[in-house]
Amino acid sequence: MGANAKHQLVFVDRLLATLVHLRRAATHDVLACWFGVDRSTITRAIGEVRPLLAERGCTISAGVRLRTLAEVIDHIGASGKTGIIDGTEIRVRRPAAGRKDRDKFISGKSKQNAVKTMVVTDGDGRMLFCSPTQHGSYADITHARQLGLVRLLEGGPAAEILADAGYQGLGAQTGGRVVTPPHR
């Protein structure tokens, strides 16, 4: 037998916790309370299950499964629907002292240690894409650029994507395909 710790949550509970977290944005603290485990157990469970879900992609209709951001953008353009993009951050424990990139986890928005991810949904609220996490210090627009969103929208399908003020500037770079609130 290995020296690894036994899971306190069976796989079905880990899957359920991950789905509730992704669909309803329940915090790790709330899920820990619901399942009667420590917050770190929920964080580990979500970290293990999310890659499994990402491999399977997102099924939107019979025979249509989206796995990459490029497929999501193509789907939004082909269907004529409006996409919604936003970045979200999740508070994490402070990285260990001495870790060289420790300061990168501090979010400029919440002034706490966090990791960020970018989420793309359709107008009906179905999540179509959830990016890998980045350090909390990444700006939303930087994360979108690094994922290749500008490149995908420049010459791709005529997709319209609504975004918050964190993505101001992408509209000019994508030919108006990313719509943000006006700059004050």
Side-chain angles (χ1 to χ4, degrees):
M1 284 276 161
N4 293 341
K6 298 267 188 223
H7 286 289
Q8 293 178 337
L9 292 174
V10 295
F11 179 75
V12 173
D13 288 342
R14 288 186 280 156
L15 178 62
L16 181 61
T18 303
L19 293 174
V20 169
H21 169 70
L22 292 173
R23 182 67 179 146
R24 297 293 175 199
T27 65
H28 293 203
D29 293 324
V30 169
L31 291 169
C33 205
W34 284 350
F35 286 95
V37 296
D38 190 63
R39 183 175 172 270
S40 62
T41 302
I42 294 295
T43 301
R44 185 178 65 242
I46 290 171
E48 291 170 351
V49 173
R50 274 185 67 180
L52 299 175
L53 293 174
E55 286 175 14
R56 299 286 302 157
C58 173
T59 304
I60 21 181
S61 62
V64 179
R65 183 176 294 276
L66 307 175
R67 291 183 174 90
T68 65
L69 183 58
E71 290 174 353
V72 169
I73 298 301
D74 288 342
H75 169 72
I76 290 171
S79 67
K81 292 188 176 186
T82 300
I84 302 169
I85 187 172
D86 198 8
T88 184
E89 59 183 43
I90 300 166
R91 197 180 82 206
V92 295
R93 289 188 177 159
R94 187 169 187 175
R99 184 172 172 173
K100 66 178 181 173
D101 59 352
R102 184 178 188 190
D103 292 339
K104 290 183 181 178
F105 283 88
I106 299 173
S107 167
K109 182 178 179 181
S110 66
K111 308 290 189 242
Q112 295 180 349
N113 292 291
V115 291
K116 288 187 173 183
T117 189
M118 186 181 80
V119 177
V120 180
T121 66
D122 63 9
D124 298 328
R126 288 183 299 188
M127 184 167 53
L128 303 176
F129 178 78
C130 185
S131 75
T133 59
Q134 290 290 342
H135 300 298
S137 62
Y138 270 61
D140 289 348
I141 194 168
T142 303
H143 197 177
R145 286 180 182 140
Q146 287 185 344
L147 290 170
L149 183 65
V150 174
R151 180 182 39 80
L152 292 170
L153 289 172
E154 274 178 332
E160 180 183 61
I161 297 182
L162 303 178
D164 63 9
Y167 296 94
Q168 283 183 341
L170 281 185
Q173 296 172 3
T174 60
R177 292 186 177 154
V178 175
V179 180
T180 58
H183 187 66
R184 293 184 222 191

